[in-house]
Each structure stands twice: as C-alpha cells, then as structure tokens.
C-alpha cells in the first residue's frame, strides 16, 4: 500500500525499514552495507549479553565464523553426496516409525518425530554422534522442545522488550521475560555442557577431529599461538552450535509438517504425488537424491509449499553498517531493515492466483519442473541460509520416502486445518492428529 520502502518507529530505537517487492528486496539483500545485524537487547541476551554465534553477528565476527563453519562442515560432508546415505537412513527410519505409530488407525501427531529425524544428520556433523530417530537422549529431546518453545513464543523483531528492555524489571512475567530467560538459561547450559565434554575428551585422547565441535576447539588452540586477535573461543562455539541447531531444526521440519498438512487438505495433489513416485521409482527401491530431477511434480509441491506457507515470511533483521540509501530513500547507519519475503511470494501480478495452492504453476507444458526467481524462501545474498542445500535435500528425501509408503488423511470429524499456520519467529505448521494409511 505504501510502496517498497516504508519506515516505522518502534519505541526509542532507530527506525525500522520494511522492504517489499522483488526488485527492492533483491537490491537490499545483495548490498553489503545492509549485511549487519541489529544490536537489540534480546539479540544480545540470547547469547550471554553480547552478540555471538552466526545468526545475529556481523562484520569481522560474522565473516570469520561463517567462513570457518562452512569450510569445516563441508569437510565432514555437509551438503555433499557422501551424506546421502545418512539422510536416506533417517528418512527410512522416520517412515518406519510413522508407519508403526499409525498402523492401528489411531490419530497421531508426528511433528516431534519429524524434528528429531531432521536433526539426526546435522547432529552427526556437529557432535560426531549418531542417534536412532526416536532414541535420542532425554537432554537432546528437551533441547529440541525448548528451542521450539522459544521460536513459537517470540517474533523476528524481539517484541516489546527489544524496544523497552527496562520493562523486564517492572513486569517480568507480563512481558514474558521470566519464561524467556529461564528457557535461554537451560538451552545455553545444554550447549555449554556439550562443548565442555568435547574439550575433556580431546584433552584426554588427542584424537583426530571427526566433527565440527572438535575442529572448532582445535582452531581455538591454533589461534592462541597467533599474535592477531581472535574471535574464536568456547562461548562463541557454543552459540554457533546453538544457531546451527536452531536453524537446522526449525525451518526444515516445519516445511515437512506443512507439506503433510497441504496434502491432507488437497487429496487430489497427494494422489498425483503417489502416482509419480510409483511410476518413476516404484515400490521396491527407496528414493535417492538422484531421483530428484525425475520427480518434477514433487519438486513443484515443495516449491508451492515454500511459497504459500511462508515459513520465514521476512528475513532476519538486517542493519545498515554505514549511511546509505535504498531506491532514493536515506538509510542511516544502524537503521534496521526487514525484507518482506511474503510480499514477493504473494504478489498477485506475478503469480495470479497467489492465494491458491497450485503446484502446477511450477510445471511447464512438457511436464518439466520450472524454476522461478520469485521464489526465495532461503533469502538472497551473503546472509541467505547457509544450510539451504541440506534443507532442500532433507525435505525432498523425507517427503519422498513418506509418500512412497504412506497416504495421509485426517480422522473423521477433524476440523479442516488452518493452513496459515501459527506465527512466531518462524511460522509453525498447524497442529494435526493424522492418520497414515500404508499404501502397500
């Protein structure tokens, strides 16, 4: 209504700039002067009072952490073909568990199982340990639940406490600070303890690094001998792992939850999906990443869910690190910018029937999948999601395995799901009790 660049003032902070539309968002997300992160109270509180980790750091801290994280994870197979068998095992395990849980025809919620399955391969890279889905430790299960609670109860701008942090002293319960602080303390202790255990093991055994935490601890020791200042320390490591953990679980398992919700409501789309899997893969062979491009309709369904569910309706807030301008508007240093990705995904001029779930919009006249540059669920530019490749691979394999074996539907008299989901830091899929029927 008000154009692609709109300024708002929240509390006493610098203005918040909402950037909408494909052209404005593309320019903003590709300009390095907007690559900063805001310095709000809650963004610092979540990591011990200073901005640490990957998601909410910027300039040299973020550059060093991102560079090391990507390089190290790739060395251990992150996003590479060698991780496929691990992903495939987890997808098969998840499918078997869901099949067993629902074989009696009793309505069941499966979202927590999906969360654990999504985390499994990432946890192997981070921690070096592999757990069977459904057999994760109570502490790891609790960590997943705490992060889910934090995500669902917060918003991308941090809420009123970011604008008026003094209110935590006056109304700790009413502002939600008491619960937020308690959850942050528990989740931070979990990751600090994980790092401490790895440090003890490394000191005792001097073993070769086989996971991200060990490699980071080794990097800390290496940099101690260097005269230059270092952003590498154990606290930083704990918060980098926390950010990887949160980013790895929240968006991917929410996507899978939304896929199931949309297919339950749109049974015709689910039947076409079954037909394509049966025709291309069959029933005797498990789906693999090599099959991805042979399943255009599955790719179209995933793209349409990413577009319509808008799990990340905006980018994480950016900050201008110097005085600049955007489309003729003055953007001063420390202004916060938010990319309204939903405005692109729901643009009626481009998509036409943007409110309608129609995977066919990504299929051409020859039945092939068509990429669309207006779809940007992982963001753009240097600050786009660094786990995009793994997120796509995981979502594809998990959905393909589940749909190969199972048909999803609602119990009798179950109200129609609210496909808009539940808003928080990211949009959560609707809570559903489902029935999964074995197809063969």
């Amino acid at each position: 209504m008000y154009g692609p660049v709109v300024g708002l003032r929240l509390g006493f902070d610098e203005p918040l700039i909402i950037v909408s539309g494909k052209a404005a968002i593309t320019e903003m997300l590709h300009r390095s002067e907007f690559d900063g992160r805001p310095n709000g109270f809650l963004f610092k509180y979540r990591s011990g009072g200073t901005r640490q980790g990957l998601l909410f750091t910027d300039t040299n801290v973020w550059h060093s952490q991102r560079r090391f994280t990507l390089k190290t994870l790739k060395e251990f197979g992150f996003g590479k073909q060698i991780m496929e068998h691990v992903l495939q095992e987890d997808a098969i395990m998840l499918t078997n568990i869901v099949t067993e849980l629902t074989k009696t025809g009793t309505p069941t919620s499966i979202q927590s199982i999906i969360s654990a399955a999504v985390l499994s391969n990432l946890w192997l890279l981070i921690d070096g340990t592999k757990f069977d889905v459904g057999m994760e430790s109570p502490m790891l299960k609790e960590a997943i639940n705490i992060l889910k609670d934090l995500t669902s109860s917060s918003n991308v701008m941090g809420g009123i406490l970011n604008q008026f942090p003094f209110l935590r002293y006056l109304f700790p319960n009413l502002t939600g600070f008491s619960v937020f602080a308690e959850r942050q303390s528990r989740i931070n202790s979990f990751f600090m303890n994980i790092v401490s255990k790895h440090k003890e093991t490394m000191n005792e055994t001097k073993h070769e690094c086989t996971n991200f935490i060990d490699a980071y601890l080794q990097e800390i020791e290496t940099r101690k001998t260097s005269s230059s200042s270092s952003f590498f320390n154990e606290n930083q490591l704990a918060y980098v792992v926390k950010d990887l953990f949160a980013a790895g679980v929240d968006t991917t398992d929410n996507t899978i939850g939304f896929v199931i919700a949309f297919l339950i409501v749109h049974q015709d789309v689910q039947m076409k999906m079954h037909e394509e899997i049966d025709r291309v893969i069959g029933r005797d062979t498990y789906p693999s990443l090599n099959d991805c491009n042979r399943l255009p309709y599955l790719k179209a369904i995933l793209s349409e869910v990413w577009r319509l569910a808008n799990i990340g309706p905006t980018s994480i807030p950016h900050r201008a690190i110097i005085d600049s301008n955007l489309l003729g508007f003055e953007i001063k240093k420390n202004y916060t910018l938010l990319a309204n990705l939903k405005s692109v995904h729901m643009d009626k001029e481009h998509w036409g029937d943007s409110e309608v779930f129609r995977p066919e919009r990504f299929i051409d006249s020859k039945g092939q999948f068509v990429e669309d540059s207006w779809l940007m669920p992982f963001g753009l530019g240097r600050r786009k999601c660094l786990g995009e490749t793994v997120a796509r691979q995981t979502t594809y394999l998990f959905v393909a395995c589940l749909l190969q074996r199972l048909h999803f539907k609602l119990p009798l008299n179950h109200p129609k799901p609210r496909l808009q989901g539940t808003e928080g830091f990211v949009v959560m899929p609707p809570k559903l009790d489902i029935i999964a029927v074995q197809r063969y």
Side-chain angles (χ1 to χ4, degrees), residues 16 89 95 104 107 123 192 221 232 334 431 440:
L16 165 66
E89 283 178 7
T95 303
T104 61
W123 196 242
M192 293 292 186
E221 292 303 311
F232 287 74
N334 292 329
K431 292 182 178 179
Y440 56 91

Side-chain angles (χ1 to χ4, degrees), residues 119-171:
L119 177 65
S120 178
N121 68 88
L122 181 63
W123 196 242
L124 176 63
L125 295 175
I126 292 173
D127 182 63
T129 58
K130 185 80 171 74
F131 61 84
D132 290 332
V133 179
M135 300 292 288
E136 61 277 7
S137 71
M139 289 195 65
L140 190 59
K141 193 177 292 187
E142 183 189 27
I144 296 173
N145 291 335
I146 294 171
L147 273 174
K148 283 286 179 186
D149 288 341
L150 283 167
T151 302
S152 63
S153 62
S154 61
N155 67 61
V156 75
M157 285 305 298
I160 194 170
L161 284 173
N162 248 4
Q163 277 67 51
F164 306 104
F166 65 87
L167 290 177
R168 71 189 189 278
Y169 298 119
L170 302 176
F171 310 106

Side-chain angles (χ1 to χ4, degrees), residues 84-363:
E84 178 179 0
H85 75 281
V86 180
L87 279 174
Q88 193 177 50
E89 283 178 7
D90 292 335
I92 294 166
M93 181 78 76
L94 172 65
T95 303
N96 290 340
I97 291 173
V98 174
T99 302
E100 187 65 25
L101 276 175
T102 59
K103 69 179 181 181
T104 61
T106 305
T108 308
S109 174
I110 62 171
Q111 197 60 39
S112 62
I113 304 164
I114 293 173
S115 297
V118 166
L119 177 65
S120 178
N121 68 88
L122 181 63
W123 196 242
L124 176 63
L125 295 175
I126 292 173
D127 182 63
T129 58
K130 185 80 171 74
F131 61 84
D132 290 332
V133 179
M135 300 292 288
E136 61 277 7
S137 71
M139 289 195 65
L140 190 59
K141 193 177 292 187
E142 183 189 27
I144 296 173
N145 291 335
I146 294 171
L147 273 174
K148 283 286 179 186
D149 288 341
L150 283 167
T151 302
S152 63
S153 62
S154 61
N155 67 61
V156 75
M157 285 305 298
I160 194 170
L161 284 173
N162 248 4
Q163 277 67 51
F164 306 104
F166 65 87
L167 290 177
R168 71 189 189 278
Y169 298 119
L170 302 176
F171 310 106
N173 295 325
L174 191 62
T175 57
F177 178 73
S178 295
V179 173
F180 176 81
E182 188 269 338
R183 287 172 176 165
Q184 289 290 359
S185 175
R186 282 162 61 201
I187 196 71
N188 290 346
S189 294
F190 171 79
F191 290 111
M192 293 292 186
N193 288 336
I194 293 287
V195 170
S196 295
K197 287 177 182 176
H198 275 261
K199 187 178 180 182
E200 289 174 14
T201 305
M202 284 192 72
N203 290 338
E204 290 170 4
T205 61
K206 302 293 183 184
H207 65 276
E208 182 183 352
C209 294
T210 58
N211 59 79
F212 177 78
I213 296 177
D214 287 352
Y216 196 108
L217 287 169
Q218 193 174 78
E219 184 72 9
I220 293 173
E221 292 303 311
T222 301
R223 288 177 179 250
K224 282 180 180 178
T225 61
S226 171
S227 58
S228 61
S229 61
S230 174
F231 301 113
F232 287 74
N233 55 67
E234 289 170 32
N235 278 352
Q236 185 72 264
L237 168 58
Y239 294 117
V240 167
V241 172
K242 178 183 178 181
D243 285 347
L244 290 172
F245 187 97
V249 172
D250 262 333
T251 51
T252 305
D253 71 340
N254 285 348
T255 300
I256 296 168
F258 266 114
V259 169
I260 293 171
F262 274 99
L263 293 182
I264 281 173
V265 172
H266 299 275
Q267 289 288 325
D268 57 328
V269 174
Q270 187 174 175
M271 295 301 290
K272 286 181 70 173
M273 181 71 266
H274 290 319
E275 185 277 327
E276 182 180 67
I277 291 175
D278 289 348
R279 174 170 42 82
V280 174
I281 300 175
R283 297 183 171 185
D284 300 323
T285 305
Y286 290 116
S288 70
L289 293 179
N290 290 331
D291 297 318
C292 184
N293 290 329
R294 300 168 58 218
L295 297 170
Y297 197 62
L298 171 55
K299 291 178 72 173
I301 289 172
L302 298 185
S303 296
E304 184 69 338
V305 169
W306 277 315
R307 183 191 71 81
L308 196 52
N310 283 297
I311 294 159
T314 69
S315 65
I316 292 175
H318 288 234
R319 177 178 64 89
I321 56 178
I322 58 171
D323 289 346
S324 184
N325 69 80
L326 179 63
L327 300 183
F329 292 91
E330 184 181 41
I331 309 293
K332 291 191 175 182
K333 182 180 179 180
N334 292 329
Y335 279 17
T336 297
L337 300 98
L338 207 59
N340 177 14
L341 302 176
K342 187 174 181 178
S343 69
V344 181
H345 293 162
M346 303 302 290
D347 187 299
K348 283 184 167 56
E349 288 189 18
H350 178 75
W351 302 105
D353 53 349
S354 59
E355 303 285 340
V356 177
F357 179 71
R358 187 169 59 84
E360 286 76 12
R361 71 178 77 247
F362 293 98
I363 300 292

